[in-house]
Coordinates of all heavy atoms in Angstrom, one line a residue:
V268 N -0.2 8.8 -0.6 CA 0.4 10.0 -1.1 C -0.5 11.2 -0.6 O -1.7 11.3 -1.0 CB 0.5 10.0 -2.6 CG1 1.1 11.4 -3.0 CG2 1.4 8.9 -3.0
A277 N -3.7 32.3 10.5 CA -4.7 31.9 11.4 C -6.1 32.2 11.0 O -6.3 33.3 10.5 CB -4.4 32.5 12.8
L283 N -6.6 18.8 3.1 CA -5.6 17.7 2.8 C -6.3 16.5 2.1 O -7.4 16.2 2.4 CB -4.9 17.2 4.1 CG -4.3 18.3 5.0 CD1 -3.6 17.6 6.2 CD2 -3.3 19.1 4.2
S288 N -3.0 3.5 -2.8 CA -2.9 2.6 -4.0 C -2.3 1.3 -3.5 O -1.7 1.2 -2.5 CB -2.0 3.3 -5.1 OG -0.7 3.5 -4.6
T290 N -3.0 -2.9 -2.8 CA -4.1 -3.8 -2.4 C -4.8 -3.2 -1.2 O -4.2 -3.2 -0.1 CB -3.6 -5.2 -2.0 OG1 -2.9 -5.7 -3.2 CG2 -4.7 -6.1 -1.6
G298 N -7.0 7.5 8.3 CA -7.0 8.7 9.2 C -5.9 9.6 9.0 O -5.1 9.4 8.1
D324 N -9.9 16.0 20.6 CA -10.6 17.1 21.2 C -10.2 18.4 20.7 O -11.0 19.4 20.5 CB -10.5 17.1 22.7 CG -11.2 15.9 23.4 OD1 -12.2 15.4 22.7 OD2 -10.9 15.6 24.5
V326 N -9.4 19.4 17.8 CA -9.8 19.8 16.4 C -11.3 19.6 16.2 O -11.8 19.9 15.2 CB -9.1 18.9 15.4 CG1 -7.6 19.1 15.6 CG2 -9.5 17.5 15.3
A337 N -14.5 4.8 -3.5 CA -14.3 4.5 -4.9 C -12.9 4.9 -5.4 O -12.4 4.3 -6.3 CB -15.4 5.1 -5.8
T340 N -9.5 7.3 -1.3 CA -8.9 8.7 -0.9 C -9.6 9.1 0.4 O -10.8 9.0 0.5 CB -9.2 9.7 -2.0 OG1 -8.4 9.2 -3.2 CG2 -8.6 11.0 -1.6
V355 N 3.6 18.5 10.8 CA 3.6 17.6 9.6 C 2.4 16.6 9.8 O 2.2 16.0 10.8 CB 4.9 16.8 9.5 CG1 4.8 15.8 8.3 CG2 6.0 17.7 9.3
D362 N -5.3 -1.9 8.3 CA -6.1 -3.1 8.0 C -5.6 -4.2 8.8 O -4.7 -4.1 9.7 CB -6.2 -3.3 6.5 CG -4.8 -3.6 5.9 OD1 -3.9 -4.1 6.6 OD2 -4.7 -3.4 4.6
N366 N -0.4 -1.1 10.0 CA -0.6 0.3 9.7 C 0.3 0.7 8.6 O 1.5 0.4 8.6 CB -0.3 1.1 10.9 CG -1.3 1.0 12.0 OD1 -2.4 0.5 11.8 ND2 -0.9 1.3 13.3
W368 N 1.7 4.2 6.4 CA 1.9 5.6 6.6 C 2.3 6.3 5.3 O 3.1 5.8 4.5 CB 3.0 5.9 7.6 CG 2.6 5.4 9.0 CD1 2.9 4.2 9.5 CD2 1.9 6.1 10.0 NE1 2.4 4.1 10.8 CE2 1.8 5.3 11.2 CE3 1.4 7.5 10.1 CZ2 1.1 5.7 12.3 CZ3 0.7 7.8 11.2 CH2 0.6 7.0 12.3
T375 N 1.6 24.8 8.0 CA 2.2 25.9 8.8 C 1.1 27.0 8.9 O 0.6 27.4 7.9 CB 3.4 26.4 8.3 OG1 4.4 25.4 8.1 CG2 4.0 27.5 9.2
V376 N 0.8 27.3 10.1 CA -0.3 28.4 10.4 C 0.4 29.5 11.1 O 0.9 29.4 12.2 CB -1.4 27.8 11.2 CG1 -2.5 28.9 11.4 CG2 -2.0 26.6 10.6

Side-chain angles (χ1 to χ4, degrees):
V268 179
L283 305 183
S288 61
T290 302
D324 288 342
V326 306
T340 299
V355 177
D362 63 25
N366 291 339
W368 295 90
T375 303
V376 185

